[in-house]
Every structure is written in structure tokens, then in C-alpha cells.
Amino acid sequence: MELKPIIKTMGSIIRAFFTFLFALVVLGVMVWAYVKGFELATSEYGIISFGIYGLLLSFHIMVQSFFAFIEHWRMKAHTEPCTFTKTVGFTISAYQEDPVYLRECLNSVRTLAYPSELLRIVMVIDGNSEDDQYMMDMFKEIFADQDPGCYVWKHNYHTWDPKKAQEDMGTTGMIGSGADYVVGEDPQRYEVEQLIQSKRCVCIMQKWGGKREVMYTAFKALGSSVDYIQVCDSDTKLDHLATVELCKVLESNPMYGAVGGDVRILNAKDSYISFMSSLRYWMAFNVERSCQSFFNCVSCISGPLGLYRNDLLQQFLDLWYNQKFLGTHCTFGDDRHLTNRMLSMGYATKYTAHSKCYTETPAQFLRWLNQQTRWTKSYFREWLYNAMWWHKHHLWMTYESIVSGIFPFFVTATIIQLFMTGTLWDILWILCCIQLIGLVKAFYACMLRKNAVMVFMSLYSTLYMTSLLPAKYFAILTMNKSSWGTSGRRKLVGNYIPLLPLSVWAILLVSGLCYTIYKEVKLDWTAPGMQMEMRFLIFGTATYICYWVLMMTLYWVWFRRACRTTFKAYRVKV
């Protein structure tokens, strides 16, 4: 028996043990700091205090920001050119896409600065009815000079029923007279695969099956014919260097399994929701994922802009498609699970800010809420899967997973406790602290991006506290419910159920606030400590109100008037 495999296995077991031990230590310290509530500094009468838990959160933000800055510096220092030797399968997933966005997407793909002989474009449409035909017609129009191949598939890879097909055709033998087909297999499948592997530009319409189904079709049909596979959504407009910059990263190290780019918002000026989403996107990619990239463990290669090594992807393609959670087949969270599969093989995942794209985001609150709920479902589901591979990567992945995973629960417990058992000053103080932390992060983002617009990022905390936080619990309770969510842009979102947890959350907080006011009114405010608290309460309230008046004034006067026509060409009703 060879010793190397045994030593490798033992090493993996030992590393897994110590990684799990490290995770328990991080979790234990965070829980202890939160429950203990030990105060490091406090004012007279204990009105203002700063504890260990606050120190740990501050330390986390500083460390994350520092490594994000270092990673951006390393990106700028990396100047090696692209070799232009790798073939790329460019896949586009489409479902009920708005014609304006789809045209922008396809036109941007045409102008990619990557050699046409190395680039294969495959758009798969989730639906094969007459209502979906306009997308194929647009593909034909835009790529008319490329001799595009178009095909309407009655089924998809997983809906073909050979028994039913044989009954319909009145035969029990081979399907397709004169064709070299295996008994019981869909003859159209071979036509789709041959078309994709022989044509440079191909559009396939297939039976509805969800986003993961259309992605599977593109990946499976391409097979081993390309070196890399790039993913893109049909509402995404790519920078002409997007593919080149992604390829440069994968070419730089054979252990890099996947790389994602900087996803920005195409319709940022459509509404307050889309504007706040644009700022949140920038923070998520250029701070959070940039930091993860420093440690080679980006948690999610986003669907609009990502590149994978095809030889690795093909190894786990069927495992990725057949993913189940609590006995239910998973359809959403496809990009996060693709990333997790790559991480599970021990390969690094990277991020580059040099590769950019612009994608549509919900401009309506309800559609945005449905999107965030769907994303939260996949986050918690994939968190559990990701935990199995912590030992294969840097300890940062373990640490950050623990911190980000438990943070919403700590925030919820704090808010409920203060609104139910605290004082008016306690409630105001936590609100001020939330905005203060938001301002600090916003000012850092302003410096990193060199754009003052990031100061509005401090307003995002309100959306998080009032909407995202309760939506997370609804997402956990309904984790097995699958759908495309917000991906179809031609129809209004009619799912109002996610508003239910927001209503419960609002009732809980308002009732707690009323109860706190009732208690405070009955107190003796003539004592010195209460007099001091009254002054803090008045000053804090005035400051908080002034902050919001100033920020909203800046938003409506400066931002809306100065920039509202920037993306006018992309305005679409949803």
C-alpha cells in the first residue's frame, strides 16, 4: 500500500478537524462577546457604552477593508497580457426578457474584444412557445452576418420520455429512421449538440425547466469543445474587455478554477430601490468579494459575469444540476452552487474589477424583495454545503462564513430586545450606531471608488433593517420553494407573500416602541441621570433627523436632477 495517499488523507482529516475547531472558536467568541455584553468604555450614568462585540465588528470591517484595498492594488499591478489561445464558450440564459435589455446584451456580446474564432456564443431560451419566439428572432437579426444556427427543441435534456415517444410514433425500436441514435434517446438532442459544436453562434429554444435547465443545456452541449465557459444573463450589457480580463486571470494560475467580474447596475437611475442596489452591488463586489479574492475563496461567481475552467466544470456538471436540498430539486442559486462545486475540488475562485458588466435590477420594491428573498434562500442553503469544504481553503473563508452567517440573528435579537425591554435612548442609540457604521463604510467606499456618490451607501442600512432582515427568516422557512423569481421581466410580479414577514416585523417593532414610550412616560425624569439622558435623547433625535433630511435632500436635489437622464435609453417598465 502506497504511503502518499494515506498521508494525504490523514493530512486532510487533520486539517478538517482543526478548521472545524477554529470555526467553533470564532462562533464561541462571537456568542460570548454578544451575550456577555462586557463594556470596554462607558459614559457617566452608562448612557453611552462600547463593548467587546462592537470592537470585534469594528475589527472585522477594518480587516475586510484592508485586504480589499490590497487586492485592488494587486489587480492594478497585474499587467500580463492575454495570450488569446483559449477557446471560450459564451453562454446566455434567457427567460421572458425585455427586448430592450436583450438587444443591449446581444450587441455588447458582438463587440467583445476576443478573437471571433476562439469564441462560441450559445443562447438558450427557457421556453419554446410563440411568446418566446421574439428572442430567437432578435438573435438571428443581430448575428445575421455570422450564419447563426437556431433550433426549437420540443423538450430539454430532462423531459424526454422514451416510452411516451415510442407510443406516439407507434414503434418500439429505434427512433429516427436511418439515423444512428440510441434506442430511447431524444433525436433532437443530437441535433442540438451537433449544431452547438459546429456553429459559432447558436440560439436554442427549449421546453421550460428553469434557469438551471437552460444553463445545463449550454454546458452539456458544448461538452469538451472549449477551454473556458463564460456565463451571462440576457439582461446584461458587457464591457468590450470583459472576456479578455477574465481569461487573463485564469491564465495566470492553473489552480484558479473560476473568476468573476465587477457587476454594476444598468438601470440605477430608475428608482430609489435600483439606486441603492447599485451602491450595494459595488460594495459587495469591490470590498467583500475583493477581500475574498485576496484569500482565493470568492463565495459566489455572479451569474451575469463569470468564467469557469470547462474541464473542471464538466466533472461536476450532473452533480450541480441534480442538487437536492431536503429532498427537493434545487433550481435557484445556480451561480453560488457552481462556485461551491469549484471550491469543493480545492480550486481557487477569484474576482477582478477590470472585467465589468451592467445588469438590470428590480426598480420596484416588491420585485426587489422577491429577488432578495430568493437570493437569501440560496445563501443559507449553500452556506451549509460550503462548510464541508472550509478545510480546503484559507481560514478566512471559515471565519467570514461564521461572522456573516450569524450576524442577522444577532441583529434581530438586539433590535427585539431594545424595542421590547430597552429605553427610548437605547433605541435611538442603536439607530445612530447603525448609521454611523454605514457612514464609515460609505466614506471608505468613496475613497476606494473615488466617487462621492458612495456616501449614499449609508442609507442602505434602513432597507436592510426594515425589509431584508425579516425577509431572511421568511426565506429560511420557505427554502424549498423554487422558481425563476425575478428573472422574467415581461410580467409584473404578483407574489405578495414576502410582504407578510415585513408586516409582522413592523407590528412587532411598533408595538415595542409604543410600550417603551408608555414605560418612559411613567418614569421620574427629575433625577440627574434621567436629566442627562433627556439631553442625549433630544440632541440625538435632532442629529438623526438632520442627517436624514440632509441625505434625502442631496438625493432628490443633487442626484436625481443631475443624473436622471444618464440611463434614459435603458428605462423599461416592469
Side-chain angles (χ1 to χ4, degrees):
M1 184 179 293
E2 296 184 7
L3 289 177
K4 283 187 177 180
I6 298 176
I7 295 174
K8 186 177 180 180
T9 301
M10 290 299 297
S12 180
I13 293 173
I14 293 172
R15 183 177 175 86
F17 171 77
F18 281 104
T19 301
F20 179 71
L21 187 63
F22 174 75
L24 289 179
V25 170
V26 173
L27 179 61
V29 170
M30 294 297 293
V31 173
W32 171 80
Y34 179 80
V35 175
K36 187 70 175 179
F38 184 77
E39 296 179 349
L40 296 174
T42 183
S43 66
E44 188 179 7
Y45 302 112
I47 297 176
I48 296 178
S49 61
F50 183 72
I52 291 182
Y53 181 70
L55 178 65
L56 292 176
L57 286 182
S58 301
F59 177 75
H60 171 75
I61 293 172
M62 288 190 294
V63 171
Q64 185 183 64
S65 301
F66 173 76
F67 285 114
F69 175 80
I70 297 299
E71 182 65 7
H72 276 280
W73 180 81
R74 294 204 306 191
M75 292 177 203
K76 293 179 181 178
H78 183 76
T79 57
E80 294 183 14
C82 182
T83 63
F84 294 115
T85 59
K86 303 297 184 180
T87 53
V88 177
F90 193 100
T91 66
I92 307 171
S93 304
Y95 170 64
Q96 296 183 356
E97 190 55 76
D98 187 280
V100 175
Y101 289 128
L102 181 58
R103 185 173 294 276
E104 288 291 334
C105 172
L106 298 178
N107 281 327
S108 69
V109 173
R110 271 190 63 92
T111 60
L112 287 173
Y114 203 79
S116 59
E117 64 273 14
L118 298 176
L119 189 67
R120 289 187 178 178
I121 302 167
V122 180
M123 184 170 85
V124 183
I125 299 169
D126 193 25
N128 54 11
S129 67
E130 293 183 1
D131 291 338
D132 303 304
Q133 184 65 43
Y134 73 97
M135 290 180 279
M136 179 175 283
D137 293 339
M138 188 176 296
F139 186 91
K140 289 180 182 178
E141 173 194 341
I142 293 176
F143 293 101
D145 60 336
Q146 301 292 320
D147 186 26
C150 297
Y151 194 88
V152 179
W153 191 0
K154 293 181 180 179
H155 302 280
N156 57 49
Y157 271 100
H158 300 94
T159 60
W160 170 256
D161 185 351
K163 292 183 179 180
K164 184 177 185 302
Q166 290 172 355
E167 291 175 0
D168 293 342
M169 299 180 67
T171 177
T172 57
M174 295 174 64
I175 299 174
S177 176
D180 187 19
Y181 295 132
V182 178
V183 175
E185 291 199 9
D186 186 357
Q188 286 192 312
R189 166 186 169 178
Y190 294 94
E191 295 180 31
V192 168
E193 291 176 350
Q194 290 172 7
L195 188 64
I196 288 178
Q197 295 188 20
S198 62
K199 291 273 189 177
R200 178 178 177 263
C201 301
V202 177
C203 179
I204 304 295
M205 290 174 60
Q206 67 177 31
K207 186 174 182 179
W208 182 89
K211 185 178 180 181
R212 195 171 300 212
E213 187 69 55
V214 299
M215 293 177 71
Y216 181 89
T217 294
F219 298 163
K220 187 73 172 179
L222 281 168
S224 59
S225 63
V226 293
D227 298 308
Y228 301 150
I229 286 185
Q230 183 171 345
V231 293
C232 177
D233 292 337
S234 56
D235 63 344
T236 301
K237 180 181 180 182
L238 296 121
D239 179 78
H240 72 289
L241 291 175
T243 301
V244 173
E245 294 296 338
L246 293 177
C247 287
K248 286 166 64 175
V249 176
L250 289 193
E251 289 176 353
S252 66
N253 192 324
M255 287 306 295
Y256 292 166
V259 58
D262 186 6
V263 180
R264 302 193 180 186
I265 298 303
L266 187 64
N267 59 324
K269 310 306 183 292
D270 278 3
S271 69
Y272 180 77
I273 293 294
S274 61
F275 171 59
M276 294 309 300
S277 292
S278 71
L279 303 184
R280 174 59 190 142
Y281 267 55
W282 195 92
M283 289 291 291
F285 284 92
N286 290 282
V287 177
E288 296 168 15
R289 292 184 191 177
S290 181
C291 176
Q292 293 171 352
S293 184
F294 179 87
F295 297 104
N296 297 328
C297 55
V298 175
S299 61
C300 180
I301 304 299
S302 189
L305 185 57
L307 189 71
Y308 299 83
R309 291 191 184 276
N310 187 35
D311 58 336
L312 301 177
L313 187 151
Q314 294 297 330
Q315 293 180 37
F316 56 74
L317 177 58
D318 287 304
L319 291 173
W320 167 76
Y321 176 83
N322 293 312
Q323 180 193 13
K324 289 186 176 181
F325 183 76
L326 298 178
T328 302
H329 181 246
C330 302
T331 57
F332 56 83
D334 43 85
D335 51 0
R336 192 173 285 275
H337 193 58
L338 264 180
T339 309
N340 266 337
R341 284 289 176 183
M342 192 65 73
L343 289 169
S344 72
M345 298 178 71
Y347 285 85
T349 51
K350 298 291 289 184
Y351 164 77
T352 174
H354 295 317
S355 179
K356 296 181 176 64
C357 76
Y358 295 84
T359 189
E360 188 265 355
T361 194
Q364 292 179 329
F365 176 78
L366 182 59
R367 186 163 167 259
W368 171 81
L369 186 63
N370 277 275
Q371 177 201 63
Q372 296 299 316
T373 301
R374 180 167 54 90
W375 286 358
T376 302
K377 290 180 183 181
S378 64
Y379 169 80
F380 283 109
R381 184 193 70 210
E382 294 302 318
W383 190 97
L384 298 172
Y385 182 83
N386 178 261
M388 295 189 294
W389 317 112
W390 286 345
H391 64 284
K392 292 189 176 184
H393 298 276
H394 197 280
L395 286 177
W396 177 265
M397 188 167 83
T398 304
Y399 162 77
E400 189 181 50
S401 296
I402 294 294
V403 173
S404 61
I406 65 175
F407 179 74
F409 303 102
F410 283 177
V411 173
T412 303
T414 301
I415 295 298
I416 292 177
Q417 179 186 9
L418 293 179
F419 272 75
M420 292 298 177
T421 63
T423 65
L424 286 176
W425 168 248
D426 290 334
I427 296 173
L428 180 60
W429 175 238
I430 194 65
L431 293 177
C432 290
C433 286
I434 291 171
Q435 295 306 136
L436 181 62
I437 294 173
L439 274 174
V440 171
K441 296 177 69 174
F443 283 131
Y444 169 76
C446 287
M447 293 186 290
L448 189 62
R449 189 177 181 179
K450 296 180 176 61
N451 191 332
V453 74
M454 292 304 298
V455 72
F456 291 107
M457 183 60 203
S458 61
L459 302 179
Y460 187 81
S461 58
T462 303
L463 275 178
Y464 181 88
M465 298 297 296
T466 60
S467 305
L468 286 185
L469 198 58
K472 288 181 183 294
Y473 295 95
F474 176 76
I476 292 173
L477 294 174
T478 59
M479 200 175 294
N480 276 5
K481 185 177 180 181
S482 305
S483 71
W484 265 77
T486 59
S487 297
R489 272 160 280 276
R490 300 186 73 208
K491 297 180 180 179
L492 289 170
V493 175
N495 182 17
Y496 294 92
I497 297 178
L499 291 176
L500 179 60
L502 273 66
S503 302
V504 174
W505 181 246
I507 293 172
L508 187 65
L509 296 188
V510 171
S511 60
L513 179 62
C514 292
Y515 177 66
T516 301
I517 294 175
Y518 170 76
K519 290 190 304 179
E520 296 276 286
V521 169
K522 301 176 68 176
L523 296 177
D524 180 13
W525 288 88
T526 60
M530 298 301 292
Q531 287 287 318
M532 178 67 74
E533 184 173 332
M534 175 66 77
R535 287 193 290 269
F536 272 89
L537 194 59
I538 294 173
F539 177 76
T541 302
T543 303
Y544 193 73
I545 292 174
C546 289
Y547 162 80
W548 275 101
V549 170
L550 175 63
M551 295 302 291
M552 296 311 296
T553 300
L554 286 175
Y555 173 75
W556 288 107
V557 175
W558 175 71
F559 180 80
R560 295 291 291 180
R561 290 188 178 181
C563 308
R564 61 184 170 185
T565 59
T566 303
F567 290 93
K568 187 176 181 180
Y570 309 126
R571 297 181 71 88
V572 176
K573 291 184 178 180
V574 294

